[in-house]
Amino acid sequence: AKRQTTNTPIQALIALNDPQFFEASRVLAQNTLKTMKGATDEEIISNVFRCITSRNPGGREKETLLKMYLTQKQKFKTNMQSSIKMITTGQYPVENEIHKGELAALTFMAHTI
């Protein structure tokens, strides 16, 4: 994989839309769902947030992320085409035992964080 380079302010936008970042978000989401079976949505969100930022989310942050996660989870569970498109970026294999809609929603949330 080769990262595009630029010395302009759009570097952040290029990095944000880079497939490597989507893949990293998906792998984090996948590992979280795999290791935290039976956990609540709040626990899952807190774990992902802590992995990315090295701190626990504040009350308002957690509330906002939970609302976003639940909305995305509903959206991706009813639209499998969109889910598959979201989680097939990159080369790391997708676990078959994890629900694709849930993985796509958590990937989206991790990428947002």
Side-chain angles (χ1 to χ4, degrees), residues 6-73:
T6 180
N7 59 357
T8 66
I10 64 166
Q11 178 66 35
L13 185 59
I14 289 172
L16 182 64
N17 292 318
D18 193 297
Q20 292 175 13
F21 284 88
F22 273 99
E23 184 176 19
S25 298
R26 178 179 55 85
V27 172
L28 173 60
Q30 183 171 286
N31 289 341
T32 300
L33 291 172
K34 192 174 170 182
T35 60
M36 295 188 72
K37 288 182 182 177
T40 66
D41 290 335
E42 285 185 7
E43 291 170 334
I44 289 170
I45 289 167
S46 293
N47 184 69
V48 170
F49 190 90
R50 194 172 35 257
C51 286
I52 295 171
T53 66
S54 298
R55 67 176 178 85
N56 290 318
R60 200 158 179 205
E61 290 169 325
K62 189 185 286 188
E63 181 183 317
T64 301
L65 289 171
L66 180 61
K67 193 180 293 184
M68 183 191 74
Y69 178 58
L70 294 175
T71 301
Q72 293 303 316
K73 198 166 154 178

Side-chain angles (χ1 to χ4, degrees), residues 69-83:
Y69 178 58
L70 294 175
T71 301
Q72 293 303 316
K73 198 166 154 178
Q74 184 63 36
K75 173 188 161 194
F76 284 118
K77 280 188 174 184
T78 58
N79 187 346
M80 271 305 152
Q81 287 291 89
S82 189
S83 297

